[in-house]
Amino acid sequence: MELLMQPWPWWVSGVLVGLIVPLLHLLAGKSFGISSSFQQLGAMCLSNSKLSYFREFDWRRGVWILVFVGGIALGGFVANNFLSAEPVEFLPPFYHSAGGALRLMIGGVLVGFGARYAGGCTSGHAISGISNLNWPSVVATIFFFVGGLAVTWGLGSFIF
Amino acid sequence: MSETTGQQSPAVENPAADVPEKRGYVSATTLVMSLLLGTYFGIVLTKSEVVRWQRVHDMFLFNEPHMYLIIGVGIAVAMISMLIIKGLKAKSIEGKPITYRPKPFHLGNIFGGMIFGAGWALTGACPGPIYAQIGAGTWMALLTLGGAFVGTILYASLKSKLPH
C-alpha cells in the first residue's frame, strides 16, 4: 500500500501504459488513440458545420472515445485523491498565473492543431502506431521531439 | 459494414425494419469497457507522473530518462502484445476480428508533428494527460483543452490549403 501511494517506477508504468493497446482491442474492439476525441467533440458540437472534417465524421461511432477520455478524467481524480500520499503537482506554481494561462492556451492550440494535422498524438502514433510497425508513426514521433526540443532549447530561456 | 449488438432476438420482429437502426452504432459492451479502460489509463498516467509538466520539461531537457523509459517500455509491451494477438488471430470479446488500420504517410506527420511537439513542451501535456489533469482538479488545464479544441477547428478550416 505504501508503494502504491508513491509515484510508480518507470518499469511498472511502462508495462501498464503498453497494455492499454491490446486491452482496448480485446475488450472494446478499438484502436488506441486519444486526439481523435478533439475531432469527435467538434463533430458533435458543430454537426451542421460547413467543415467536412466535422460534418463527414461519424460521431455516433466515435462516442466511445468521449467515454474513454471521461474515464481518463475519472482516473486522474481517483489517482490524485485516493492513490497518492500527497497531491500531484500537475503544473508548476508559475503556471498558475496570467502568463501561465496564456502559455496553456497557445500551447493547447498547437497541441490540437498539430495532433490532428499529424494524424495522431503520442498515443495514436508513438504508442499504438509504432507498436503496430506503422512507419509513418515513427516519422511523426521523431518530429514530435523535433518540435518539443526546438521550443525547450531554442525558446526556453524566454518562455520558462 | 453493419455493426450488431449481438443482442438481437429473431423472435422480436421490428415492423419498421427499413428504418435505419439508430441503436447499435456502439455496443454497450464497448461503452462500459471504454469507461473502465479509460479510468485504468487515467490512473496509470497520473501515478506514472507523465501528466506532470515538470516530467515533460525534464524529458526535453534530457535531465532524466523517466519519460523515455516509460514510452520505450510501453511501445515494447504493446508491440509484443500485438504480435501475439495477430499470431493467434485473437478476436475481441464481442467476436470481432482485431485489425489495425495503418495511418498513411503525409507531410502532416512532419509539420503537424513539429507543431504538436511544440505544444506538448509548452503545456506539458499531450491529449491523454489533459483529461487526467482536468479530472484531478487542475482547472487551468481546461485552457489547454479549450486551446486544443480551437486548434482542431483551425485545422478543420485550413485542411484543404495545407500540404498533405
Side-chain angles (χ1 to χ4, degrees), chain A residues 16 37 61 83 95 117 153, chain B residues 3 40 47 60 122 131 163:
Chain A
L16 296 180
S37 61
R61 275 181 198 281
L83 294 174
Y95 262 62
Y117 189 11
W153 290 84
Chain B
E3 200 156 311
Y40 159 86
K47 291 308 297 176
F60 285 126
L122 210 51
Y131 296 107

Side-chain angles (χ1 to χ4, degrees), chain A residues 17-19 21-22 127-128 131, chain B residues 73-83:
Chain A
V17 164
L19 285 177
V21 174
I127 307 279
S128 187
S131 67
Chain B
V73 171
I75 291 172
V77 168
M79 195 180 291
I80 294 165
S81 309
M82 291 311 292
L83 288 174

